[in-house]
Every structure is written in C-alpha cells, then in structure tokens.
Amino acid sequence: MRYYQYDKYPIEFVVSENIDKRFASHNHVGHYIISVVMQGAVVVYLESKKVTCHKGDIFVIPPYAVHSVCQERDARLLSMCIGTAFIEENDIETAEGIFRQLLKDAVEEGIFGKERKEDLLASVGMVYRLQNNGRKEMDAGIKSLADKITSQPELELSVDTLAADIFVSKYYFIRKFKSSIGMTPHQFCIQNRIRKSQRMLNKEKTVGGIASEMGFYDQSHFDKAFQRIVGISPSEYVRSKKRIEQGT
C-alpha cells in the first residue's frame, strides 16, 4: 500500500496493491472515499450489501457508512480520501478547480494515469450529492458521544460513563450505538485510536511512544490493531507515505 498526502488540503491518495486481504468492517468518520478499481476485481460490502467491482468501476463511501473491502493480490485499487471539512468549506465549483490541479500534480508524479484522473474528477459531484441527500441520520446523543470518542479516543471512557452522559442504561446505549454507528463503542474507540495514530505517525513520533499515548497495552497490541485496520504495520505505513509537490 502506498499513501500520498497534501500539506495544504485534507486530501490523500491510497494505492492498494500486492495484498490479499479482507479489511474488517469499519467506517471513516471524517472522510469521503472515492475508489476506482485499476486492475482485477474488488468485493465491497457496504451497509450489508455486497458488490463486486471490476476494472474501471467506481464506488463512493460516505462518512459513517460501515463497509469492508476484500482485495486479492492481483487487484489494484486507487482511493481518494477527502476530509469532510474540505467539502463543507468549498462549493462544488471551487472544489472541482482545486481537484483539477491536485489530480494534475498526481499524474505528473506518476501516481496514476490521465484516465484515472478523469474518473476521480467526474466523481467529485457524487460526493456533493451525498453530502446534500445522503447524510446519515443519527441520534443527537449518540452523535455527541461519537464525536467525543473521535476527538479523544485515547481517553478511557467506560460504557457506564458514556451511557450516563445521555441518561440511558448501558445495555440500551450499546444497542443504540451499534445500530447508529455500525460497531460497538469499544470497536469504534480502537478504530479511532488507530486513525489518530496515523496522524501522529505523520509527525514522525516513535511507534512505541504513540502506542503508549493512545492507551494500548504495549507496542505488540498496537501493531496488531494497526495491521488489522490499516492493512500494513506502523513501520510499513511510515515508509509508504509520500508528500505530493503541489503545482501553482
């Protein structure tokens, strides 16, 4: 897997190749994901629906949508991750202008070809339609707690404490949280610890230090969780990242 990131915008490209893996069910709280199959076939499980995507097929994953991806070694998948803040702060005309330049930069760096550039650019409109019409409705109390976990996943927040925050029993809270978010509070917390860890690795902190700071028992525990969610180890992730030089 290879990661390409911009400094100015919350936008990242991920090229998944040479892996034989089914990623566990998860969601992306702060991103829209546009993915295009560049080679082979990829099986996508989205909100309990199974879809097999072949070369040239595109799928879009909105925030909080629970999904998993099964990819065999001969498949290649290109994903563009777009921060929700970017979509909220820019109208579609502005966004398309920015993406046109960013995608041009990516093609010039050899990350993907012009055909994939046009696929991704044409899909930006799909993201805006999802933002306006496909927003996942969520109980306000559950959304508040999900935001709390997302912002500070390293905190040890017990189910009893979280349930008390919205004045419900812990058993009702667990059921309600899973039906709204698609995973248990514990699973959601671990997922977001790993997501925050990825950002911290971007700042060149040590793996052991991040594991401790994020509340894992030890580095081995952290490594296993990272591998399960991201698909590669923390050290492989650090080596796979690259900054994209932005044009003017």
Side-chain angles (χ1 to χ4, degrees):
M1 297 179 71
R2 293 178 280 129
Y3 294 79
Y4 301 88
Q5 301 167 332
Y6 290 97
D7 289 321
K8 186 175 180 181
Y9 301 106
I11 295 168
E12 176 182 65
F13 297 109
V14 182
V15 179
S16 303
E17 58 188 355
N18 299 320
I19 61 173
D20 189 354
K21 182 176 177 63
R22 175 172 177 173
F23 291 89
S25 293
H26 63 286
N27 58 29
H28 300 275
V29 174
H31 291 84
Y32 290 86
I33 313 294
I34 301 174
S35 294
V36 54
V37 180
M38 295 194 290
Q39 177 180 300
V42 173
V43 178
V44 182
Y45 299 84
L46 177 59
E47 301 287 10
S48 301
K49 296 179 181 178
K50 176 183 176 181
V51 179
T52 301
C53 299
H54 300 276
K55 182 178 178 180
D57 288 343
I58 299 169
F59 58 92
V60 179
I61 308 292
Y64 282 102
V66 176
H67 63 285
S68 65
V69 177
C70 183
Q71 181 175 342
E72 296 185 355
R73 191 166 295 278
D74 64 344
R76 296 181 71 222
L77 183 68
L78 168 66
S79 298
M80 181 166 68
C81 311
I82 310 168
T84 53
F86 179 89
I87 300 300
E88 292 165 358
E89 293 167 5
N90 295 281
D91 59 34
I92 187 169
E93 290 79 13
T94 302
E96 286 178 339
I98 293 171
F99 278 117
R100 192 169 284 106
Q101 179 60 57
L102 298 184
L103 291 167
K104 178 176 178 289
D105 296 338
V107 170
E108 290 176 352
E109 295 221 6
I111 300 171
F112 47 80
K114 291 182 179 179
E115 183 180 1
R116 300 287 81 87
K117 167 191 167 185
E118 296 305 319
D119 288 337
L120 293 172
L121 187 59
S123 301
V124 172
M126 295 171 62
V127 169
Y128 278 86
R129 288 193 292 275
L130 281 172
Q131 181 200 25
N132 295 328
N133 304 317
R135 195 185 304 273
K136 186 171 182 176
E137 295 297 327
M138 194 179 301
D139 177 88
I142 296 296
K143 179 64 165 62
S144 174
L145 293 180
D147 289 343
K148 185 176 183 178
I149 293 171
T150 301
S151 63
Q152 293 183 292
E154 67 274 17
L155 295 180
E156 290 292 344
L157 298 172
S158 70
V159 170
D160 291 291
T161 299
L162 292 169
D165 281 351
I166 56 174
F167 309 104
V168 298
S169 74
K170 69 176 183 179
Y171 302 107
Y172 177 83
F173 166 69
I174 292 171
R175 290 196 303 273
K176 185 72 173 178
F177 193 95
K178 187 169 184 180
S179 67
S180 299
I181 305 296
M183 57 188 73
T184 67
H186 176 71
Q187 291 170 329
F188 187 70
C189 179
I190 295 299
Q191 171 187 279
N192 283 282
R193 285 183 178 184
I194 295 301
R195 299 300 181 207
K196 188 168 183 177
S197 297
Q198 288 179 267
R199 297 193 295 273
M200 295 169 73
L201 285 167
N202 292 345
K203 299 176 182 177
E204 299 182 351
K205 292 191 175 186
T206 66
V207 174
I210 291 172
S212 177
E213 192 172 337
M214 284 294 99
F216 290 92
Y217 303 129
D218 52 33
Q219 187 172 328
S220 176
H221 182 213
F222 172 66
D223 286 349
K224 289 177 182 177
F226 196 100
Q227 176 89 34
R228 185 178 69 254
I229 292 171
V230 180
I232 54 179
S233 70
S235 58
E236 288 172 325
Y237 174 76
V238 171
R239 290 195 298 269
S240 72
K241 290 184 305 173
K242 183 180 179 182
R243 297 290 177 183
I244 301 178
E245 295 295 328
Q246 293 167 222
T248 55

Coordinates of all heavy atoms in Angstrom, one line a residue, residues 18-86:
N18 N -0.8 -5.6 -4.4 CA 0.0 -6.7 -3.8 C -0.4 -7.1 -2.4 O 0.4 -7.4 -1.6 CB 1.5 -6.3 -3.8 CG 2.0 -6.0 -5.2 OD1 1.7 -6.7 -6.2 ND2 2.8 -5.0 -5.3
I19 N -1.7 -7.1 -2.2 CA -2.2 -7.6 -0.9 C -3.3 -8.6 -1.1 O -4.0 -8.5 -2.1 CB -2.7 -6.4 0.0 CG1 -3.9 -5.6 -0.6 CG2 -1.6 -5.5 0.4 CD1 -4.5 -4.6 0.3
D20 N -3.5 -9.5 -0.2 CA -4.6 -10.5 -0.3 C -5.3 -10.4 1.1 O -4.8 -11.0 2.0 CB -4.0 -11.8 -0.5 CG -5.1 -12.9 -0.8 OD1 -6.3 -12.5 -0.7 OD2 -4.8 -14.0 -1.2
K21 N -6.3 -9.6 1.2 CA -6.8 -9.3 2.5 C -8.3 -8.8 2.4 O -8.7 -8.2 1.4 CB -6.0 -8.1 3.1 CG -6.4 -7.7 4.5 CD -5.5 -6.7 5.1 CE -6.0 -6.2 6.5 NZ -5.9 -7.3 7.5
R22 N -9.1 -9.2 3.4 CA -10.4 -8.6 3.6 C -10.3 -7.7 4.9 O -10.0 -8.2 6.0 CB -11.5 -9.7 3.9 CG -12.8 -9.0 4.2 CD -14.0 -10.0 4.2 NE -15.2 -9.3 4.6 CZ -16.4 -9.8 4.6 NH1 -16.5 -11.1 4.3 NH2 -17.4 -9.1 5.0
F23 N -10.5 -6.4 4.6 CA -10.5 -5.5 5.7 C -11.8 -5.7 6.6 O -12.9 -5.8 6.0 CB -10.4 -4.1 5.2 CG -9.0 -3.8 4.6 CD1 -8.8 -4.0 3.2 CD2 -8.0 -3.3 5.3 CE1 -7.6 -3.7 2.6 CE2 -6.8 -3.0 4.8 CZ -6.6 -3.2 3.4
A24 N -11.6 -5.6 7.9 CA -12.8 -5.8 8.7 C -13.7 -4.6 8.6 O -13.3 -3.5 8.1 CB -12.3 -5.9 10.2
S25 N -15.0 -4.8 9.0 CA -16.0 -3.7 8.9 C -15.5 -2.5 9.6 O -15.0 -2.6 10.8 CB -17.3 -4.2 9.4 OG -17.9 -5.2 8.6
H26 N -15.6 -1.4 9.0 CA -15.2 -0.1 9.6 C -15.9 1.0 8.9 O -16.6 0.9 8.0 CB -13.6 0.0 9.5 CG -13.2 0.1 8.1 ND1 -13.1 -0.9 7.2 CD2 -12.8 1.2 7.3 CE1 -12.7 -0.6 6.0 NE2 -12.5 0.7 6.1
N27 N -15.7 2.2 9.4 CA -16.1 3.4 8.7 C -15.1 4.5 8.8 O -14.1 4.4 9.5 CB -17.5 3.9 9.3 CG -17.5 4.2 10.8 OD1 -16.4 4.6 11.3 ND2 -18.6 4.0 11.4
H28 N -15.3 5.6 8.1 CA -14.4 6.7 8.1 C -15.2 7.9 8.5 O -16.1 8.4 7.8 CB -13.8 7.0 6.7 CG -13.1 5.8 6.2 ND1 -11.7 5.6 6.5 CD2 -13.4 4.8 5.4 CE1 -11.3 4.5 5.9 NE2 -12.3 4.0 5.2
V29 N -15.0 8.4 9.8 CA -15.8 9.4 10.4 C -15.6 10.7 9.7 O -16.5 11.5 9.4 CB -15.5 9.5 11.9 CG1 -16.2 10.7 12.5 CG2 -15.8 8.2 12.6
G30 N -14.4 11.1 9.3 CA -14.1 12.4 8.8 C -13.7 12.5 7.4 O -13.2 13.5 6.9
H31 N -14.1 11.5 6.6 CA -13.7 11.5 5.2 C -14.8 10.9 4.3 O -15.5 10.0 4.7 CB -12.4 10.7 4.9 CG -11.2 11.3 5.5 ND1 -10.8 11.1 6.8 CD2 -10.2 12.1 5.0 CE1 -9.7 11.8 7.1 NE2 -9.3 12.3 6.0
Y32 N -14.8 11.4 3.1 CA -15.5 10.7 2.0 C -14.4 10.0 1.2 O -13.3 10.5 1.0 CB -16.1 11.7 1.0 CG -17.3 12.4 1.5 CD1 -17.2 13.6 2.3 CD2 -18.6 11.9 1.3 CE1 -18.3 14.3 2.8 CE2 -19.7 12.6 1.8 CZ -19.6 13.8 2.5 OH -20.7 14.4 3.0
I33 N -14.7 8.8 0.7 CA -13.7 8.0 0.0 C -14.3 7.7 -1.4 O -15.4 7.2 -1.6 CB -13.4 6.6 0.7 CG1 -13.2 6.8 2.2 CG2 -12.3 5.9 0.0 CD1 -11.9 7.5 2.5
I34 N -13.5 8.1 -2.4 CA -13.8 7.7 -3.8 C -12.8 6.7 -4.2 O -11.6 7.0 -4.2 CB -13.7 9.0 -4.8 CG1 -14.7 10.1 -4.3 CG2 -14.0 8.5 -6.2 CD1 -14.5 11.3 -5.1
S35 N -13.2 5.5 -4.6 CA -12.3 4.4 -5.0 C -12.6 4.0 -6.5 O -13.7 3.9 -6.9 CB -12.4 3.2 -4.1 OG -12.0 3.6 -2.8
V36 N -11.5 3.7 -7.2 CA -11.6 3.2 -8.6 C -10.7 2.0 -8.7 O -9.6 2.0 -8.3 CB -11.3 4.3 -9.6 CG1 -9.9 4.9 -9.4 CG2 -11.4 3.7 -11.0
V37 N -11.3 0.9 -9.3 CA -10.5 -0.3 -9.5 C -9.7 -0.1 -10.7 O -10.1 0.1 -11.8 CB -11.5 -1.5 -9.6 CG1 -10.7 -2.8 -9.8 CG2 -12.4 -1.6 -8.4
M38 N -8.3 -0.3 -10.5 CA -7.4 -0.1 -11.6 C -7.0 -1.4 -12.3 O -6.6 -1.5 -13.4 CB -6.1 0.6 -11.1 CG -6.4 2.0 -10.7 SD -4.8 3.0 -10.5 CE -4.1 2.1 -9.0
Q39 N -7.2 -2.5 -11.5 CA -6.9 -3.8 -12.1 C -7.6 -4.9 -11.3 O -7.8 -4.8 -10.0 CB -5.4 -4.0 -12.0 CG -4.9 -5.4 -12.5 CD -3.4 -5.5 -12.3 OE1 -2.6 -4.7 -12.9 NE2 -2.9 -6.5 -11.5
G40 N -8.0 -6.0 -11.9 CA -8.7 -7.1 -11.2 C -10.1 -6.7 -10.7 O -10.8 -5.9 -11.3
A41 N -10.4 -7.4 -9.6 CA -11.8 -7.2 -9.1 C -11.7 -7.0 -7.5 O -10.8 -7.6 -6.9 CB -12.7 -8.4 -9.4
V42 N -12.6 -6.2 -7.0 CA -12.6 -5.9 -5.6 C -14.0 -6.1 -5.1 O -15.0 -5.6 -5.7 CB -12.1 -4.5 -5.2 CG1 -12.3 -4.2 -3.8 CG2 -10.7 -4.3 -5.6
V43 N -14.2 -6.9 -4.0 CA -15.6 -7.1 -3.4 C -15.8 -6.1 -2.3 O -15.0 -6.0 -1.4 CB -15.7 -8.5 -2.9 CG1 -17.1 -8.7 -2.3 CG2 -15.5 -9.5 -4.0
V44 N -16.8 -5.3 -2.4 CA -17.2 -4.3 -1.4 C -18.4 -4.7 -0.7 O -19.5 -5.0 -1.3 CB -17.3 -2.9 -2.1 CG1 -17.6 -1.8 -1.0 CG2 -16.1 -2.6 -2.9
Y45 N -18.4 -4.7 0.6 CA -19.6 -4.9 1.5 C -19.9 -3.5 2.1 O -19.2 -3.0 2.9 CB -19.3 -5.9 2.6 CG -18.9 -7.3 2.1 CD1 -17.6 -7.5 1.7 CD2 -19.9 -8.3 1.9 CE1 -17.2 -8.8 1.2 CE2 -19.5 -9.5 1.5 CZ -18.2 -9.8 1.1 OH -17.8 -11.0 0.6
L46 N -21.0 -2.9 1.6 CA -21.4 -1.6 2.1 C -22.8 -1.6 2.7 O -23.8 -1.9 2.0 CB -21.3 -0.6 0.9 CG -21.8 0.8 1.2 CD1 -20.9 1.5 2.3 CD2 -21.7 1.7 -0.1
E47 N -22.9 -1.3 4.0 CA -24.2 -1.3 4.7 C -24.9 -2.6 4.4 O -26.1 -2.6 4.0 CB -25.0 -0.1 4.3 CG -24.3 1.2 4.5 CD -24.3 1.6 6.0 OE1 -24.6 0.7 6.9 OE2 -23.9 2.7 6.4
S48 N -24.3 -3.8 4.5 CA -24.8 -5.1 4.4 C -25.1 -5.5 2.9 O -25.7 -6.6 2.7 CB -26.1 -5.2 5.2 OG -25.9 -5.0 6.6
K49 N -24.7 -4.7 2.0 CA -24.9 -5.1 0.6 C -23.5 -5.4 0.0 O -22.5 -4.8 0.2 CB -25.5 -3.9 -0.2 CG -26.9 -3.6 0.2 CD -27.5 -2.4 -0.6 CE -28.9 -2.1 -0.1 NZ -29.4 -0.9 -0.9
K50 N -23.5 -6.5 -0.8 CA -22.3 -7.0 -1.4 C -22.3 -6.6 -2.9 O -23.2 -6.8 -3.6 CB -22.1 -8.5 -1.3 CG -20.9 -9.1 -2.0 CD -20.9 -10.6 -1.9 CE -19.8 -11.3 -2.6 NZ -19.8 -12.7 -2.5
V51 N -21.2 -5.9 -3.3 CA -21.0 -5.5 -4.7 C -19.6 -5.9 -5.2 O -18.6 -5.7 -4.5 CB -21.2 -4.0 -4.9 CG1 -21.0 -3.6 -6.3 CG2 -22.5 -3.6 -4.4
T52 N -19.5 -6.6 -6.3 CA -18.2 -6.9 -6.9 C -17.9 -5.8 -8.0 O -18.6 -5.6 -8.9 CB -18.2 -8.3 -7.6 OG1 -18.5 -9.3 -6.6 CG2 -16.8 -8.6 -8.2
C53 N -16.8 -5.1 -7.8 CA -16.3 -4.1 -8.7 C -15.2 -4.5 -9.5 O -14.2 -5.1 -9.0 CB -16.0 -2.8 -7.9 SG -17.3 -2.1 -6.9
H54 N -15.2 -4.2 -10.8 CA -14.2 -4.6 -11.8 C -13.4 -3.4 -12.3 O -13.8 -2.3 -11.9 CB -14.8 -5.4 -12.9 CG -15.5 -6.7 -12.5 ND1 -14.9 -7.9 -12.3 CD2 -16.8 -6.9 -12.2 CE1 -15.7 -8.8 -11.9 NE2 -17.0 -8.2 -11.9
K55 N -12.4 -3.7 -13.1 CA -11.6 -2.6 -13.6 C -12.4 -1.5 -14.2 O -13.3 -1.7 -15.0 CB -10.6 -3.1 -14.7 CG -9.6 -2.1 -15.2 CD -8.7 -2.7 -16.2 CE -7.8 -1.6 -16.8 NZ -6.8 -2.1 -17.8
G56 N -12.1 -0.2 -13.7 CA -12.9 0.9 -14.2 C -14.1 1.3 -13.4 O -14.6 2.4 -13.5
D57 N -14.5 0.4 -12.5 CA -15.7 0.7 -11.6 C -15.3 1.6 -10.5 O -14.2 1.6 -10.0 CB -16.3 -0.6 -11.0 CG -17.0 -1.5 -12.1 OD1 -17.3 -0.9 -13.1 OD2 -17.2 -2.7 -11.8
I58 N -16.2 2.5 -10.1 CA -16.0 3.5 -9.1 C -17.1 3.3 -8.0 O -18.2 3.0 -8.3 CB -16.1 4.9 -9.7 CG1 -15.0 5.1 -10.7 CG2 -15.9 5.9 -8.6 CD1 -15.2 6.4 -11.5
F59 N -16.6 3.4 -6.7 CA -17.6 3.4 -5.6 C -17.2 4.5 -4.7 O -16.0 4.9 -4.5 CB -17.7 2.1 -5.0 CG -16.5 1.5 -4.4 CD1 -16.1 1.7 -3.1 CD2 -15.6 0.7 -5.2 CE1 -14.9 1.2 -2.5 CE2 -14.5 0.2 -4.7 CZ -14.1 0.4 -3.3
V60 N -18.2 5.1 -4.0 CA -18.0 6.2 -3.1 C -18.5 5.8 -1.7 O -19.6 5.3 -1.5 CB -18.8 7.5 -3.5 CG1 -18.6 8.6 -2.5 CG2 -18.3 7.9 -4.9
I61 N -17.7 6.0 -0.7 CA -18.1 5.7 0.7 C -18.2 7.0 1.5 O -17.3 7.7 1.7 CB -17.0 4.8 1.4 CG1 -16.6 3.6 0.5 CG2 -17.4 4.4 2.8 CD1 -17.7 2.6 0.4
P62 N -19.4 7.3 2.0 CA -19.6 8.5 2.7 C -19.2 8.3 4.2 O -19.0 7.2 4.7 CB -21.1 8.7 2.6 CG -21.7 7.4 2.4 CD -20.7 6.6 1.7
P63 N -19.1 9.4 5.0 CA -18.7 9.3 6.4 C -19.7 8.4 7.1 O -20.9 8.4 6.9 CB -18.8 10.7 6.9 CG -18.5 11.5 5.7 CD -19.2 10.8 4.5
Y64 N -19.2 7.6 8.1 CA -20.0 6.7 9.0 C -20.6 5.5 8.3 O -21.2 4.7 9.0 CB -21.1 7.5 9.7 CG -20.6 8.4 10.8 CD1 -20.4 9.7 10.7 CD2 -20.3 7.8 12.1 CE1 -20.0 10.5 11.8 CE2 -19.8 8.5 13.1 CZ -19.7 9.9 13.0 OH -19.2 10.7 14.0
A65 N -20.5 5.4 7.0 CA -21.0 4.2 6.3 C -20.2 3.0 6.6 O -19.0 3.0 6.3 CB -21.1 4.4 4.8
V66 N -20.7 2.0 7.2 CA -20.0 0.8 7.6 C -19.7 0.0 6.3 O -20.6 -0.3 5.6 CB -20.7 0.0 8.6 CG1 -20.0 -1.3 9.0 CG2 -20.9 0.8 9.9
H67 N -18.5 -0.4 6.1 CA -18.1 -1.2 4.9 C -16.9 -2.0 5.2 O -16.2 -1.8 6.2 CB -17.9 -0.2 3.8 CG -16.7 0.7 4.0 ND1 -16.7 1.8 4.9 CD2 -15.4 0.7 3.5 CE1 -15.6 2.4 4.9 NE2 -14.7 1.7 4.1
S68 N -16.7 -3.0 4.3 CA -15.4 -3.7 4.3 C -15.1 -4.0 2.9 O -15.9 -3.9 2.0 CB -15.6 -5.1 5.1 OG -16.5 -5.9 4.5
V69 N -13.8 -4.3 2.6 CA -13.3 -4.5 1.3 C -12.5 -5.7 1.2 O -11.6 -6.0 2.1 CB -12.4 -3.3 0.8 CG1 -11.9 -3.5 -0.6 CG2 -13.3 -2.0 0.8
C70 N -12.7 -6.6 0.2 CA -12.0 -7.8 0.0 C -11.2 -7.7 -1.3 O -11.8 -7.5 -2.3 CB -12.9 -9.0 0.0 SG -12.1 -10.6 -0.2
Q71 N -9.9 -7.7 -1.1 CA -9.0 -7.5 -2.3 C -8.0 -8.6 -2.4 O -7.3 -8.9 -1.5 CB -8.3 -6.1 -2.1 CG -7.4 -5.8 -3.3 CD -6.8 -4.4 -3.1 OE1 -7.3 -3.6 -2.4 NE2 -5.7 -4.1 -3.9
E72 N -7.9 -9.2 -3.6 CA -6.9 -10.2 -3.8 C -5.6 -9.6 -4.4 O -5.6 -8.5 -4.8 CB -7.5 -11.3 -4.8 CG -8.7 -12.0 -4.2 CD -9.2 -13.1 -5.1 OE1 -8.6 -13.3 -6.3 OE2 -10.1 -13.9 -4.7
R73 N -4.6 -10.4 -4.4 CA -3.2 -9.9 -4.7 C -3.1 -9.3 -6.1 O -2.3 -8.4 -6.3 CB -2.2 -11.0 -4.5 CG -0.8 -10.5 -4.5 CD 0.2 -11.6 -3.9 NE -0.1 -11.9 -2.5 CZ 0.4 -11.1 -1.5 NH1 1.2 -10.1 -1.8 NH2 0.2 -11.5 -0.3
D74 N -3.9 -9.8 -7.0 CA -3.7 -9.3 -8.4 C -4.5 -8.1 -8.7 O -4.5 -7.5 -9.8 CB -4.1 -10.4 -9.4 CG -5.6 -10.8 -9.3 OD1 -6.2 -10.5 -8.3 OD2 -6.1 -11.4 -10.3
A75 N -5.3 -7.6 -7.7 CA -6.1 -6.4 -7.8 C -5.3 -5.1 -7.4 O -4.4 -5.2 -6.6 CB -7.4 -6.5 -7.0
R76 N -5.7 -4.0 -8.1 CA -5.1 -2.7 -7.7 C -6.3 -1.7 -7.5 O -7.2 -1.6 -8.3 CB -4.2 -2.2 -8.8 CG -2.9 -3.0 -9.0 CD -2.0 -2.4 -10.0 NE -1.4 -1.2 -9.5 CZ -1.3 -0.1 -10.2 NH1 -1.7 0.0 -11.4 NH2 -0.7 1.0 -9.7
L77 N -6.3 -1.0 -6.4 CA -7.4 -0.1 -6.0 C -6.8 1.2 -5.7 O -5.9 1.4 -4.9 CB -8.1 -0.7 -4.8 CG -9.4 0.1 -4.4 CD1 -10.5 0.0 -5.4 CD2 -9.9 -0.4 -3.0
L78 N -7.3 2.3 -6.3 CA -6.9 3.6 -6.1 C -8.1 4.3 -5.3 O -9.2 4.3 -5.7 CB -6.7 4.4 -7.4 CG -6.5 5.9 -7.3 CD1 -5.3 6.3 -6.5 CD2 -6.5 6.5 -8.7
S79 N -7.7 4.9 -4.2 CA -8.7 5.6 -3.4 C -8.3 7.1 -3.1 O -7.1 7.3 -2.9 CB -8.9 4.9 -2.0 OG -9.4 3.6 -2.2
M80 N -9.2 8.0 -3.2 CA -9.0 9.4 -2.9 C -9.8 9.7 -1.7 O -11.1 9.6 -1.7 CB -9.4 10.3 -4.1 CG -9.1 11.8 -3.8 SD -9.2 12.8 -5.2 CE -11.0 12.7 -5.6
C81 N -9.2 10.1 -0.6 CA -9.8 10.4 0.7 C -9.9 11.9 0.8 O -8.9 12.6 0.8 CB -9.0 9.8 1.9 SG -8.5 8.1 1.6
I82 N -11.1 12.4 1.1 CA -11.4 13.8 1.1 C -12.0 14.1 2.5 O -13.0 13.6 2.8 CB -12.4 14.2 0.0 CG1 -12.0 13.7 -1.4 CG2 -12.6 15.7 0.0 CD1 -13.0 13.8 -2.4
G83 N -11.3 15.0 3.2 CA -11.8 15.4 4.5 C -13.2 16.1 4.4 O -13.4 16.9 3.5
T84 N -14.1 15.8 5.4 CA -15.4 16.4 5.3 C -15.3 17.9 5.5 O -16.2 18.6 4.9 CB -16.3 15.8 6.5 OG1 -15.5 16.0 7.7 CG2 -16.6 14.4 6.3
A85 N -14.3 18.4 6.2 CA -14.2 19.8 6.3 C -13.9 20.5 5.0 O -14.5 21.6 4.7 CB -13.0 20.2 7.3
F86 N -13.2 19.9 4.1 CA -13.0 20.4 2.8 C -14.3 20.6 2.0 O -14.5 21.6 1.4 CB -12.0 19.5 2.0 CG -11.7 20.0 0.6 CD1 -10.7 20.9 0.4 CD2 -12.5 19.6 -0.5 CE1 -10.4 21.4 -0.9 CE2 -12.3 20.0 -1.8 CZ -11.2 20.9 -2.0

